[in-house]
Amino acid sequence: MNKNLTWKTIFIVAVMLVFLFGIFGIPKSLSKAGLTAAVRERISLGLDLRGGTHLILQVMVNDAIKADSDNAVDRLKSELRTANITYAEITQPDPNTHPEMISVKGVPPESSADLRRIVQERLPEYDLASGAENSWTVSMKSSVLEDLKQRSVTQAIETIRNRIDQLGVSEPVIEEHGLGAYQILVQLPGVDDPARVKEIMQSTAMLQIRQALDGPFSSEQDALQKSGGVLPPDSVLMKGRYQGGPGSGDRADVWYLLSRSSAVTGRDLRGAEPTRDENNRPAIRFMLTSDGGRRFGSFTGSHVGDRLAIVLDNKVQEVATIQEQINDEGRITGAFTDQQAKDLAMILRSGALPAGIRYLEERTVGPSLGADSIRHGVLAAVIGLIAVIVFMLIYYRGAGINADLALVLNLIILLGFLGFTGATLTLPGIAGVILTVGMGVDSNVLIFERIREELRHGKTPTSAVSQGFAHAWVTIVDTHVTTIVSAAILFIFGTGAVRGFAVTLAFGLLANLFTAVFVSRVIFDAHLNRHRAGEPLSI
């Protein structure tokens, strides 16, 4: 064997060892069970093989638009008051269908120019249009509206991913669903408690800390009656639950009068963790960022003796008197179980959803169905592989061994790639493996038939092999490149299992180019190196 051929053989063996490591890693045992466990640890199985939950969510983007419009209404009222411009009312006429529309009525005609200036300067994301009887419509610009909707979906995906990651779900698929507007696809392999996951994903967990001005009141009417039917400026009423004291068990719905603005919000959170209060009840301890802690310290320092309300999802969780300045952490108590406290801390850490979500589709794949899929898929692959190996040995005789070795190395490289990259193997992915095997056989058939043709023309075995590979090379590259481009398009625009098919097909074809052309040629050269003059080539 010449030196060049020796180095090529060493390179092929090294590639095979590297990708065998990708499949098995360093197994704890060389027994069948040990090798099987090593493969399961290295190669991730998809939802259809492992079992799990498949969800399609709809992001209620109008919630985010309404929140932005609510903020715009408050800013507009404040600016008009500052500019001493009177108005009859500022409302959202259709908050459910068109939350981007704000109606302004009763502004004096002589203040129209000032109103237009305020909207242009203070609400640049809104347009102003005049209407009948001295009314005005403030509407969100269409470009801003579409951007806000898309950002809501992106933020929802990021928040859901943060929450799922903290549950420890491996290989989750969380991405925009291409088949519907503002929809998200969630696939959670191996999840055995989808109800808990759904509850965590759908929780909003918007945290606010406000000053408690008055209360508790037994009803909203009682609170309004105390203030003469009109709430004091910059205050709101919020519902909460009154707890009569540790161990009293006396709880009821009550109302609190709170400041409209918040001292700090969930955006100022640095972390949150489950803990226990002084009565050993489950609670949540939260930590603030440096900026949030500075503002919280300034607020509590100037309000010692006043009361503080911790509001979660617009519901008062706790009201306490400020005994001293508090800088960067606090605690939320309530009627939590240990699991609820743990989940709430996790939700606070992941941030609030920008809008509500609703479930459009839910499917659960049982582990037994996944095991059946694996068994059927592997059985089909093994039967197909054995049939191909036998056919190649019968039809191409000695050269069939060459094709079979290249085919086995192709499978080793493909599975090793899955192990190294962590790419998920799905049922369509197994179909991609089988299709790769088929194209590998096609490549060998092309080469072998070219070699046979050259032999029929009277070429020597060495010349026939060289010409056979040279003539077949262009056709093999052409078919493989076009199929790889198709797989790339499937990967870019596909989702979930379609991407799994594209990944196994594309890398399988790249491996096939290496094995069908380079490896097969090296095996032929090694055989011809020991071939005696005049001896026919077994093909």
Side-chain angles (χ1 to χ4, degrees):
M1 185 179 292
N2 63 51
K3 188 175 180 180
N4 188 36
L5 195 57
T6 302
W7 280 113
K8 288 180 179 178
T9 304
I10 292 174
F11 175 69
I12 293 171
V13 173
V15 168
M16 184 179 67
L17 292 176
V18 167
F19 282 97
L20 278 174
F21 178 79
I23 299 173
F24 297 103
I26 301 177
K28 297 177 182 176
S29 166
L30 294 179
S31 64
K32 181 182 176 182
L35 293 175
T36 302
V39 171
R40 286 181 175 172
E41 187 177 337
R42 300 281 301 180
I43 298 179
S44 303
L45 300 180
L47 186 72
D48 49 358
L49 298 180
R50 187 179 170 188
T53 301
H54 167 100
L55 301 167
I56 295 178
L57 317 176
Q58 175 79 60
V59 181
M60 312 301 287
V61 292
N62 276 358
D63 290 353
I65 298 169
K66 187 174 184 306
D68 194 277
S69 296
D70 288 343
N71 188 19
V73 168
D74 290 341
R75 281 189 288 159
L76 186 57
K77 288 180 178 178
S78 175
E79 292 293 337
L80 292 178
R81 280 198 300 269
T82 303
N84 292 320
I85 299 174
T86 59
Y87 58 89
E89 64 175 12
I90 300 178
T91 60
Q92 292 172 280
D94 189 1
N96 295 323
T97 309
H98 293 288
E100 74 279 9
M101 309 288 287
I102 300 171
S103 172
V104 182
K105 295 181 180 177
V107 175
E110 61 273 18
S111 300
S112 298
D114 291 331
L115 173 63
R116 191 177 297 279
R117 176 183 56 79
I118 287 173
V119 172
Q120 289 176 345
E121 293 179 356
R122 302 300 180 185
L123 300 172
E125 65 273 26
Y126 285 82
D127 287 325
L128 180 68
S130 60
E133 299 179 356
N134 204 30
S135 65
W136 299 82
T137 299
V138 182
S139 56
M140 189 179 290
K141 294 177 179 175
S142 57
S143 59
V144 177
L145 187 64
E146 287 304 315
D147 180 64
L148 180 57
K149 290 179 178 178
Q150 195 54 48
R151 277 192 290 115
S152 299
V153 175
T154 304
Q155 290 176 15
I157 290 174
E158 191 61 31
T159 302
I160 290 173
R161 179 175 288 116
N162 289 338
R163 295 179 180 182
I164 296 299
D165 286 348
Q166 294 188 49
L167 285 173
V169 178
S170 62
E171 301 294 334
V173 174
I174 305 165
E175 59 193 14
E176 191 167 354
H177 188 43
L179 302 181
Y182 317 122
Q183 294 180 3
I184 300 174
L185 170 69
V186 179
Q187 291 185 333
L188 307 173
V191 169
D192 57 359
D193 190 2
R196 180 182 170 221
V197 174
K198 285 171 61 179
E199 184 178 348
I200 289 173
M201 282 196 299
Q202 199 160 13
S203 297
T204 303
M206 184 171 62
L207 177 68
Q208 298 167 313
I209 299 179
R210 305 180 183 220
Q211 183 181 359
L213 302 173
D214 205 351
F217 299 99
S218 58
S219 67
E220 191 174 6
Q221 289 71 25
D222 288 347
L224 288 170
Q225 187 175 6
K226 184 174 181 180
S227 55
V230 179
L231 292 179
D234 298 324
S235 65
V236 294
L237 275 175
M238 280 196 181
K239 197 174 182 180
R241 287 186 75 82
Y242 173 74
Q243 299 184 31
S248 70
D250 182 15
R251 295 184 297 173
D253 288 339
V254 293
W255 292 82
Y256 291 92
L257 185 67
L258 307 180
S259 62
R260 178 176 290 277
S261 60
S262 304
V264 290
T265 68
R267 295 180 181 176
D268 301 305
L269 278 184
R270 175 168 51 87
E273 61 184 21
T275 183
R276 289 191 172 270
D277 63 11
E278 60 276 9
N279 299 306
N280 202 33
R281 296 177 302 183
I284 300 97
R285 173 174 168 261
F286 61 86
M287 292 73 76
L288 299 172
T289 62
S290 58
D291 180 62
R294 179 183 54 76
R295 285 187 281 113
F296 195 48
S298 174
F299 174 80
T300 53
S302 60
H303 288 82
V304 173
D306 293 341
R307 292 188 304 160
L308 194 69
I310 296 179
V311 182
L312 196 63
D313 293 342
N314 293 322
K315 190 169 184 177
V316 179
Q317 288 288 332
E318 184 180 10
V319 175
T321 301
I322 303 173
Q323 303 290 346
E324 58 184 357
Q325 185 177 22
I326 308 170
N327 288 315
D328 60 357
E329 69 174 60
R331 189 179 60 195
I332 304 173
T333 60
F336 303 121
T337 64
D338 286 327
Q339 187 63 59
Q340 287 172 332
K342 182 180 176 183
D343 289 347
L344 181 55
M346 183 191 68
I347 292 168
L348 287 173
R349 287 196 300 270
S350 65
L353 284 171
I357 56 176
R358 66 187 176 97
Y359 295 95
L360 300 180
E361 181 180 329
E362 177 183 350
R363 285 190 284 113
T364 302
V365 181
S368 59
L369 181 59
D372 288 343
S373 300
I374 294 175
R375 187 165 52 252
H376 294 155
V378 170
L379 183 62
V382 169
I383 291 175
L385 186 62
I386 291 175
V388 167
I389 288 174
V390 172
F391 170 79
M392 296 301 281
L393 288 174
I394 294 174
Y395 195 73
Y396 291 108
R397 295 171 291 177
I401 299 174
N402 183 332
D404 293 341
L405 289 174
L407 205 57
V408 171
L409 181 57
N410 193 348
L411 289 175
I412 291 174
I413 292 175
L414 180 53
L415 294 177
F417 164 78
L418 295 176
F420 278 125
T421 61
T424 302
L425 181 63
T426 61
L427 198 57
I430 293 178
V433 173
I434 295 173
L435 182 56
T436 299
V437 170
M439 291 198 68
V441 173
D442 279 347
S443 302
N444 287 122
V445 169
L446 274 173
I447 294 169
F448 293 174
E449 290 302 322
R450 286 289 187 180
I451 293 174
R452 280 181 166 181
E453 189 177 325
E454 296 298 329
L455 289 172
R456 283 196 292 270
H457 290 162
K459 298 283 181 64
T460 64
T462 303
S463 177
V465 168
S466 177
Q467 291 297 313
F469 273 94
H471 291 157
W473 165 251
V474 175
T475 306
I476 293 173
V477 169
D478 181 57
T479 56
H480 281 60
V481 168
T482 52
T483 311
I484 289 172
V485 170
S486 302
I489 293 173
L490 281 177
F491 182 81
I492 293 171
F493 295 102
T495 59
V498 176
R499 282 188 159 190
F501 172 77
V503 167
T504 55
L505 179 61
F507 195 80
L509 292 175
L510 290 174
N512 192 44
L513 281 175
F514 172 71
T515 56
V517 179
F518 180 77
V519 175
S520 183
R521 178 65 187 269
V522 170
I523 295 174
F524 265 117
D525 288 346
H527 174 69
L528 292 173
N529 200 38
R530 294 177 296 177
H531 191 263
R532 291 191 295 272
E535 183 182 353
L537 185 65
S538 178
I539 186 169

